[in-house]
Coordinates of all heavy atoms in Angstrom, one line a residue:
Y1 N 103.6 99.1 109.4 CA 103.2 100.4 108.7 C 103.1 100.3 107.2 O 102.4 101.0 106.6 CB 104.2 101.5 109.1 CG 104.1 101.8 110.6 CD1 105.0 101.3 111.5 CD2 103.1 102.7 111.0 CE1 104.9 101.7 112.8 CE2 103.0 103.0 112.3 CZ 103.9 102.5 113.3 OH 103.8 102.8 114.6
C2 N 103.9 99.3 106.7 CA 103.9 99.1 105.2 C 102.5 98.8 104.7 O 102.0 99.4 103.7 CB 104.9 98.0 104.9 SG 105.1 97.7 103.2
A3 N 101.8 97.9 105.4 CA 100.5 97.5 104.9 C 99.5 98.6 105.1 O 98.7 98.9 104.2 CB 100.0 96.3 105.7
L4 N 99.6 99.4 106.2 CA 98.7 100.5 106.4 C 98.9 101.6 105.3 O 97.9 102.0 104.7 CB 99.0 101.1 107.8 CG 98.3 102.5 108.0 CD1 96.8 102.3 108.2 CD2 98.9 103.1 109.3
I5 N 100.1 101.9 105.0 CA 100.4 102.9 103.9 C 99.9 102.4 102.6 O 99.3 103.1 101.8 CB 101.9 103.2 103.9 CG1 102.3 103.9 105.2 CG2 102.2 104.1 102.7 CD1 103.7 104.1 105.4
D6 N 100.1 101.1 102.3 CA 99.7 100.5 101.0 C 98.1 100.5 100.9 O 97.6 100.9 99.8 CB 100.2 99.1 100.9 CG 99.9 98.5 99.6 OD1 100.3 99.1 98.5 OD2 99.4 97.4 99.5
V7 N 97.4 100.2 102.0 CA 96.0 100.2 101.9 C 95.4 101.6 101.7 O 94.5 101.8 100.9 CB 95.4 99.5 103.2 CG1 93.9 99.8 103.3 CG2 95.6 98.1 103.2
C8 N 96.0 102.6 102.4 CA 95.6 103.9 102.2 C 95.8 104.4 100.7 O 95.0 105.1 100.1 CB 96.3 104.9 103.1 SG 95.8 104.6 104.9
S9 N 96.9 103.9 100.2 CA 97.2 104.3 98.8 C 96.2 103.7 97.8 O 95.8 104.3 96.9 CB 98.7 103.8 98.5 OG 98.9 103.9 97.1
R10 N 95.9 102.4 98.1 CA 94.9 101.7 97.2 C 93.5 102.4 97.3 O 92.8 102.3 96.3 CB 94.8 100.3 97.6 CG 96.1 99.5 97.2 CD 96.0 98.1 97.7 NE 97.3 97.4 97.6 CZ 97.5 96.4 96.7 NH1 96.6 96.0 95.9 NH2 98.7 95.9 96.7
C11 N 93.2 103.0 98.4 CA 92.0 103.7 98.5 C 92.1 105.2 98.0 O 91.2 106.0 98.3 CB 91.5 103.7 100.0 SG 91.1 102.1 100.6
R12 N 93.2 105.5 97.4 CA 93.5 106.8 96.9 C 93.5 107.9 97.9 O 93.1 109.0 97.7 CB 92.5 107.2 95.7 CG 92.5 106.2 94.6 CD 91.7 106.6 93.5 NE 91.4 105.6 92.5 CZ 92.2 105.2 91.6 NH1 93.4 105.7 91.5 NH2 91.9 104.2 90.7
R13 N 94.0 107.5 99.1 CA 94.1 108.5 100.2 C 95.6 108.7 100.6 O 96.1 108.2 101.5 CB 93.3 108.0 101.5 CG 91.8 107.9 101.3 CD 91.2 109.3 101.1 NE 91.6 110.3 102.1 CZ 90.9 110.6 103.2 NH1 89.8 109.9 103.5 NH2 91.4 111.5 104.1
V14 N 96.2 109.4 99.7 CA 97.6 109.6 99.9 C 97.9 110.4 101.1 O 98.9 110.2 101.8 CB 98.2 110.4 98.6 CG1 99.7 110.7 98.8 CG2 98.0 109.6 97.4
D15 N 97.0 111.3 101.5 CA 97.2 112.1 102.7 C 97.2 111.1 104.0 O 98.1 111.3 104.8 CB 96.0 113.1 102.9 CG 94.6 112.4 102.9 OD1 94.4 111.4 102.1 OD2 93.8 112.9 103.7
L16 N 96.4 110.1 104.0 CA 96.5 109.1 105.1 C 97.7 108.3 105.0 O 98.3 107.9 106.0 CB 95.2 108.3 105.1 CG 93.9 109.0 105.4 CD1 92.7 108.0 105.3 CD2 94.0 109.7 106.8
A17 N 98.1 107.9 103.8 CA 99.4 107.2 103.6 C 100.6 107.9 104.2 O 101.4 107.4 104.9 CB 99.6 106.8 102.2
L18 N 100.6 109.2 103.9 CA 101.7 110.0 104.4 C 101.6 110.2 105.9 O 102.7 110.3 106.6 CB 101.8 111.4 103.7 CG 102.1 111.3 102.2 CD1 102.1 112.7 101.5 CD2 103.5 110.7 102.0
N19 N 100.4 110.3 106.4 CA 100.2 110.3 107.8 C 100.7 109.1 108.5 O 101.3 109.1 109.6 CB 98.8 110.6 108.2 CG 98.6 111.0 109.6 OD1 99.4 111.7 110.2 ND2 97.4 110.7 110.2
G20 N 100.5 107.9 107.9 CA 101.0 106.7 108.4 C 102.6 106.7 108.5 O 103.2 106.2 109.5
L21 N 103.2 107.2 107.5 CA 104.6 107.4 107.5 C 105.1 108.3 108.6 O 106.1 108.0 109.3 CB 105.1 107.9 106.1 CG 106.6 108.0 106.0 CD1 107.3 106.6 106.0 CD2 107.0 108.7 104.7
R22 N 104.4 109.4 108.8 CA 104.7 110.3 109.9 C 104.6 109.6 111.3 O 105.5 109.8 112.2 CB 103.8 111.5 109.9 CG 104.1 112.5 108.8 CD 103.3 113.8 108.9 NE 103.2 114.4 107.6 CZ 102.2 114.3 106.8 NH1 101.1 113.6 107.1 NH2 102.2 114.9 105.6
I23 N 103.6 108.8 111.4 CA 103.4 108.1 112.7 C 104.6 107.1 112.9 O 105.1 107.0 114.0 CB 102.1 107.3 112.7 CG1 100.9 108.3 112.8 CG2 102.0 106.3 113.9 CD1 99.5 107.7 112.5
M24 N 105.0 106.4 111.9 CA 106.1 105.5 112.0 C 107.4 106.3 112.4 O 108.2 105.8 113.2 CB 106.4 104.8 110.6 CG 107.6 103.9 110.7 SD 108.1 103.3 109.1 CE 108.9 104.8 108.5
L25 N 107.6 107.5 111.8 CA 108.8 108.2 112.1 C 108.8 108.8 113.5 O 109.8 108.8 114.2 CB 108.9 109.4 111.1 CG 109.2 109.0 109.7 CD1 109.2 110.2 108.7 CD2 110.6 108.2 109.6
K26 N 107.6 109.1 114.0 CA 107.4 109.5 115.4 C 107.8 108.4 116.3 O 108.5 108.6 117.4 CB 106.0 110.0 115.7 CG 105.8 111.4 115.2 CD 104.4 111.9 115.6 CE 104.1 113.2 115.0 NZ 102.7 113.6 115.3
Q27 N 107.3 107.2 116.0 CA 107.7 106.0 116.8 C 109.2 105.8 116.8 O 109.8 105.5 117.8 CB 106.9 104.8 116.3 CG 107.3 103.5 117.1 CD 106.7 102.3 116.5 OE1 106.1 102.3 115.5 NE2 107.1 101.1 117.1
R28 N 109.8 105.9 115.6 CA 111.2 105.7 115.5 C 112.0 106.7 116.4 O 112.9 106.3 117.1 CB 111.6 105.8 114.0 CG 113.1 105.6 113.9 CD 113.5 105.9 112.5 NE 115.0 105.6 112.4 CZ 115.7 106.0 111.3 NH1 115.1 106.5 110.3 NH2 117.0 105.8 111.3
S29 N 111.6 107.9 116.3 CA 112.3 108.9 117.1 C 112.1 108.7 118.6 O 113.0 108.9 119.4 CB 111.9 110.4 116.7 OG 110.5 110.6 117.1
G30 N 110.9 108.2 119.0 CA 110.7 107.9 120.4 C 111.5 106.7 120.8 O 112.0 106.6 122.0
A31 N 111.7 105.7 119.9 CA 112.4 104.5 120.3 C 113.9 104.8 120.4 O 114.6 104.1 121.1 CB 112.2 103.4 119.2
N32 N 114.4 105.8 119.7 CA 115.8 106.1 119.7 C 116.1 107.4 120.6 O 117.3 107.9 120.5 CB 116.3 106.4 118.3 CG 116.3 105.1 117.5 OD1 116.8 104.1 117.9 ND2 115.8 105.2 116.3
I33 N 115.2 107.8 121.4 CA 115.4 109.0 122.1 C 116.5 108.8 123.2 O 117.2 109.8 123.6 CB 114.1 109.6 122.7 CG1 114.3 111.1 123.0 CG2 113.6 108.8 123.9 CD1 113.0 111.8 123.1
T34 N 116.6 107.6 123.7 CA 117.5 107.4 124.8 C 118.9 107.5 124.4 O 119.8 107.9 125.2 CB 117.2 106.0 125.4 OG1 117.4 105.0 124.4 CG2 115.8 105.9 126.1
N35 N 119.3 107.1 123.2 CA 120.7 107.1 122.8 C 121.0 108.5 122.1 O 122.2 108.7 121.9 CB 121.0 106.0 121.9 CG 120.2 105.9 120.7 OD1 119.4 106.8 120.3 ND2 120.2 104.7 120.0
A36 N 120.1 109.3 121.7 CA 120.3 110.6 121.2 C 121.3 110.6 120.0 O 122.1 111.6 119.9 CB 120.7 111.6 122.3
L37 N 121.3 109.7 119.2 CA 122.1 109.6 118.0 C 121.5 110.5 116.9 O 120.3 110.7 116.8 CB 122.3 108.2 117.4 CG 123.1 107.2 118.3 CD1 122.9 105.8 117.7 CD2 124.5 107.6 118.3
P38 N 122.4 111.1 116.0 CA 121.8 111.8 114.8 C 120.9 110.8 114.0 O 121.2 109.6 114.0 CB 123.1 112.2 114.0 CG 124.2 112.1 115.0 CD 123.8 111.1 116.0
R39 N 119.9 111.3 113.3 CA 119.0 110.5 112.7 C 119.6 109.6 111.6 O 119.0 108.5 111.4 CB 117.8 111.3 112.1 CG 118.1 112.1 110.9 CD 116.9 112.8 110.5 NE 117.1 113.6 109.3 CZ 116.3 114.5 108.8 NH1 115.1 114.6 109.4 NH2 116.6 115.2 107.8
N40 N 120.7 109.9 111.0 CA 121.3 109.1 110.0 C 122.1 108.0 110.6 O 122.6 107.1 109.9 CB 122.1 109.9 109.0 CG 123.3 110.6 109.7 OD1 123.3 110.7 110.9 ND2 124.2 111.1 108.9
Q41 N 122.3 108.0 111.9 CA 123.0 106.9 112.6 C 122.1 106.0 113.4 O 122.5 105.1 114.1 CB 124.1 107.5 113.5 CG 125.2 108.2 112.7 CD 126.2 108.8 113.6 OE1 126.1 108.7 114.8 NE2 127.2 109.4 113.0
Q42 N 120.8 106.3 113.5 CA 119.9 105.5 114.3 C 119.5 104.2 113.5 O 119.6 104.1 112.3 CB 118.6 106.3 114.5 CG 118.8 107.5 115.4 CD 117.5 108.3 115.5 OE1 116.5 108.0 114.9 NE2 117.6 109.4 116.2
R43 N 119.2 103.2 114.3 CA 118.8 101.9 113.7 C 117.4 102.0 113.1 O 116.5 102.5 113.7 CB 118.8 100.8 114.7 CG 120.2 100.4 115.2 CD 120.2 99.3 116.2 NE 119.6 98.1 115.5 CZ 119.4 97.0 116.1 NH1 119.6 96.9 117.4 NH2 119.0 96.0 115.4
P44 N 117.2 101.6 111.8 CA 115.9 101.6 111.2 C 115.0 100.6 111.9 O 115.4 99.6 112.5 CB 116.1 101.2 109.8 CG 117.6 101.0 109.6 CD 118.2 101.1 110.9
L45 N 113.7 100.9 111.9 CA 112.7 99.9 112.4 C 112.6 98.7 111.4 O 113.0 98.8 110.2 CB 111.3 100.6 112.4 CG 111.2 101.8 113.4 CD1 109.8 102.5 113.2 CD2 111.3 101.3 114.8
P46 N 112.1 97.6 111.9 CA 111.9 96.5 111.0 C 111.0 96.8 109.8 O 110.0 97.4 110.0 CB 111.2 95.4 111.9 CG 111.5 95.8 113.3 CD 111.7 97.3 113.2
N47 N 111.4 96.5 108.6 CA 110.7 96.7 107.4 C 110.4 98.2 107.1 O 109.5 98.6 106.5 CB 109.4 95.9 107.3 CG 108.9 95.8 105.9 OD1 109.6 95.9 104.9 ND2 107.6 95.6 105.8
E48 N 111.3 99.0 107.6 CA 111.1 100.5 107.4 C 111.3 100.9 106.0 O 110.5 101.7 105.5 CB 112.1 101.3 108.3 CG 111.9 102.7 108.2 CD 112.8 103.5 109.2 OE1 113.4 102.9 110.1 OE2 112.9 104.7 109.0
V49 N 112.2 100.2 105.3 CA 112.3 100.5 103.8 C 111.0 100.2 103.1 O 110.7 100.9 102.1 CB 113.6 99.8 103.2 CG1 113.4 98.3 103.1 CG2 113.9 100.4 101.9
G50 N 110.3 99.2 103.5 CA 109.0 98.9 102.9 C 108.0 100.0 103.1 O 107.2 100.3 102.1
A51 N 108.0 100.6 104.2 CA 107.0 101.6 104.5 C 107.4 102.9 103.7 O 106.5 103.5 103.1 CB 107.0 102.0 106.0
W52 N 108.7 103.2 103.6 CA 109.1 104.3 102.7 C 108.7 104.0 101.3 O 108.2 104.9 100.6 CB 110.6 104.5 102.9 CG 111.0 105.3 104.1 CD1 111.5 104.7 105.3 CD2 111.0 106.7 104.3 NE1 111.8 105.7 106.2 CE2 111.5 106.9 105.6 CE3 110.6 107.8 103.5 CZ2 111.6 108.2 106.1 CZ3 110.8 109.0 104.1 CH2 111.3 109.2 105.3
T53 N 109.0 102.8 100.8 CA 108.7 102.5 99.4 C 107.2 102.6 99.2 O 106.8 103.1 98.1 CB 109.2 101.0 99.1 OG1 110.6 101.0 99.4 CG2 108.9 100.6 97.7
A54 N 106.4 102.1 100.1 CA 104.9 102.2 99.9 C 104.5 103.7 99.8 O 103.6 104.0 99.0 CB 104.2 101.5 101.1
A55 N 105.0 104.5 100.6 CA 104.7 106.0 100.6 C 105.1 106.6 99.3 O 104.4 107.4 98.7 CB 105.3 106.7 101.8
I56 N 106.3 106.3 98.9 CA 106.8 106.8 97.6 C 106.0 106.3 96.5 O 105.6 107.1 95.6 CB 108.3 106.4 97.4 CG1 109.2 107.2 98.4 CG2 108.8 106.7 96.0 CD1 110.6 106.6 98.5
N57 N 105.6 105.1 96.5 CA 104.7 104.5 95.5 C 103.4 105.2 95.5 O 102.8 105.5 94.4 CB 104.6 103.0 95.7 CG 103.9 102.3 94.6 OD1 104.0 102.7 93.4 ND2 103.1 101.3 94.9
A58 N 102.8 105.5 96.6 CA 101.5 106.1 96.7 C 101.6 107.5 96.1 O 100.7 107.9 95.3 CB 101.1 106.2 98.2
C59 N 102.6 108.2 96.4 CA 102.8 109.6 95.8 C 102.9 109.5 94.3 O 102.4 110.3 93.5 CB 103.9 110.3 96.4 SG 103.7 110.8 98.1
G60 N 103.7 108.5 93.8 CA 104.0 108.4 92.4 C 102.7 108.0 91.6 O 102.5 108.6 90.6
K61 N 101.9 107.1 92.2 CA 100.7 106.7 91.5 C 99.7 107.8 91.4 O 98.8 107.8 90.6 CB 100.2 105.4 92.1 CG 101.0 104.2 91.8 CD 100.3 103.0 92.4 CE 101.0 101.7 91.9 NZ 100.4 100.5 92.5
S62 N 99.7 108.7 92.4 CA 98.7 109.7 92.4 C 99.1 111.0 91.7 O 98.4 112.0 91.7 CB 98.4 110.1 93.9 OG 99.5 110.7 94.5
G63 N 100.3 110.9 91.1 CA 100.8 112.0 90.3 C 101.6 113.1 91.1 O 101.9 114.1 90.5
R64 N 101.9 112.8 92.3 CA 102.6 113.7 93.1 C 104.1 113.3 93.1 O 104.7 113.0 94.1 CB 102.1 113.7 94.6 CG 100.7 114.1 94.7 CD 100.1 113.9 96.0 NE 100.7 114.7 97.0 CZ 100.3 114.8 98.3 NH1 99.3 114.1 98.7 NH2 101.0 115.5 99.2
T65 N 104.7 113.4 91.9 CA 106.1 113.0 91.7 C 107.1 113.8 92.4 O 108.1 113.3 92.9 CB 106.4 112.9 90.2 OG1 106.2 114.2 89.6 CG2 105.6 111.9 89.5
D66 N 106.8 115.1 92.6 CA 107.7 115.9 93.4 C 107.8 115.5 94.8 O 108.9 115.4 95.4 CB 107.3 117.4 93.3 CG 105.9 117.7 93.7 OD1 105.0 116.7 93.6 OD2 105.6 118.8 94.2
T67 N 106.7 115.1 95.4 CA 106.6 114.6 96.8 C 107.3 113.3 96.8 O 108.0 113.0 97.8 CB 105.2 114.5 97.3 OG1 104.5 115.7 97.1 CG2 105.1 114.0 98.7
A68 N 107.1 112.4 95.8 CA 107.8 111.1 95.8 C 109.3 111.2 95.8 O 110.0 110.6 96.5 CB 107.3 110.3 94.6
L69 N 109.8 112.2 95.0 CA 111.3 112.4 94.9 C 111.8 113.0 96.3 O 112.9 112.6 96.7 CB 111.6 113.3 93.8 CG 111.5 112.7 92.4 CD1 111.7 113.7 91.3 CD2 112.5 111.6 92.2
R70 N 111.0 113.9 96.8 CA 111.4 114.4 98.1 C 111.5 113.4 99.2 O 112.4 113.3 100.0 CB 110.5 115.6 98.5 CG 111.0 116.4 99.6 CD 110.2 117.7 99.8 NE 109.1 117.9 98.9 CZ 107.8 118.0 99.2 NH1 107.4 118.0 100.4 NH2 106.9 118.2 98.3
L71 N 110.5 112.5 99.2 CA 110.5 111.4 100.2 C 111.7 110.5 100.0 O 112.3 110.0 101.0 CB 109.2 110.5 100.0 CG 107.9 111.1 100.7 CD1 106.7 110.2 100.3 CD2 108.1 111.2 102.2
F72 N 112.0 110.2 98.7 CA 113.2 109.3 98.5 C 114.5 110.0 99.1 O 115.3 109.3 99.7 CB 113.4 109.1 97.0 CG 114.5 108.2 96.6 CD1 114.4 106.8 96.8 CD2 115.7 108.7 96.1 CE1 115.4 106.0 96.5 CE2 116.7 107.8 95.8 CZ 116.6 106.5 96.0
R73 N 114.6 111.2 98.9 CA 115.8 111.9 99.4 C 115.8 112.0 101.0 O 116.8 111.8 101.6 CB 115.9 113.3 98.9 CG 116.3 113.4 97.4 CD 116.5 114.8 96.9 NE 116.4 114.8 95.4 CZ 115.4 115.3 94.7 NH1 114.4 115.8 95.4 NH2 115.4 115.2 93.4
T74 N 114.6 112.2 101.5 CA 114.4 112.2 103.0 C 114.7 110.8 103.5 O 115.4 110.7 104.6 CB 113.0 112.7 103.3 OG1 112.8 113.9 102.7 CG2 112.9 112.8 104.8
M75 N 114.3 109.8 102.9 CA 114.5 108.4 103.3 C 116.0 108.2 103.4 O 116.5 107.7 104.5 CB 113.9 107.4 102.3 CG 114.2 106.0 102.6 SD 113.6 104.8 101.4 CE 114.9 105.0 100.1
Q76 N 116.8 108.6 102.5 CA 118.2 108.4 102.5 C 118.8 109.3 103.6 O 119.8 108.8 104.3 CB 118.8 108.8 101.2 CG 118.5 107.8 100.1 CD 119.0 108.3 98.7 OE1 119.0 109.4 98.4 NE2 119.5 107.3 98.0
S77 N 118.3 110.4 103.9 CA 118.9 111.3 105.0 C 118.6 110.6 106.4 O 119.3 110.9 107.3 CB 118.3 112.7 104.9 OG 117.0 112.7 105.4
F78 N 117.6 109.8 106.4 CA 117.3 109.1 107.7 C 118.1 107.8 107.8 O 118.0 107.1 108.8 CB 115.8 108.7 107.7 CG 114.9 109.7 108.4 CD1 114.5 110.8 107.6 CD2 114.6 109.7 109.7 CE1 113.6 111.8 108.2 CE2 113.8 110.6 110.3 CZ 113.3 111.7 109.5
G79 N 119.0 107.5 106.8 CA 119.9 106.4 106.9 C 119.2 105.1 106.4 O 119.8 104.0 106.6
V80 N 118.1 105.2 105.8 CA 117.4 104.0 105.2 C 117.9 103.8 103.8 O 117.7 104.7 103.0 CB 115.9 104.1 105.3 CG1 115.2 102.9 104.7 CG2 115.5 104.3 106.7
K81 N 118.5 102.7 103.5 CA 119.0 102.5 102.1 C 118.0 101.8 101.3 O 117.3 100.9 101.7 CB 120.3 101.6 102.2 CG 121.4 102.2 103.0 CD 122.6 101.3 103.0 CE 123.7 102.1 103.8 NZ 124.8 101.2 104.0
P82 N 117.8 102.3 100.0 CA 116.8 101.7 99.1 C 117.3 100.3 98.8 O 118.4 100.0 98.7 CB 116.9 102.6 97.9 CG 118.1 103.4 98.0 CD 118.5 103.4 99.4
N83 N 116.2 99.4 98.6 CA 116.5 98.1 98.2 C 116.3 97.9 96.7 O 116.1 98.9 96.0 CB 115.7 97.1 99.0 CG 114.2 97.3 98.8 OD1 113.8 98.1 98.0 ND2 113.4 96.7 99.7
A84 N 116.4 96.7 96.2 CA 116.3 96.4 94.8 C 114.9 96.4 94.2 O 114.7 96.3 93.0 CB 117.0 95.1 94.5
V85 N 113.9 96.6 95.1 CA 112.5 96.5 94.6 C 112.2 97.7 93.7 O 112.3 98.8 93.8 CB 111.6 96.4 95.8 CG1 110.1 96.5 95.3 CG2 111.8 95.2 96.6

């Protein structure tokens, strides 16, 4: 998902980048539906922090800083910890 979100961002299609993030989150919720844990206790998908970072970067570069900050807070509420990048 990271590459998909990044490519959409480079094409200046932030709407599609955010849609890619939504698709990833739907997959995550479907993968964790059997254990019914709260979302902050679910296991992240591989490279999930990269997808969140790409979506935040897409919003920031397009001037949608309010959306970028909201995504950052939402990422943390999903239990995904920011990395050093």
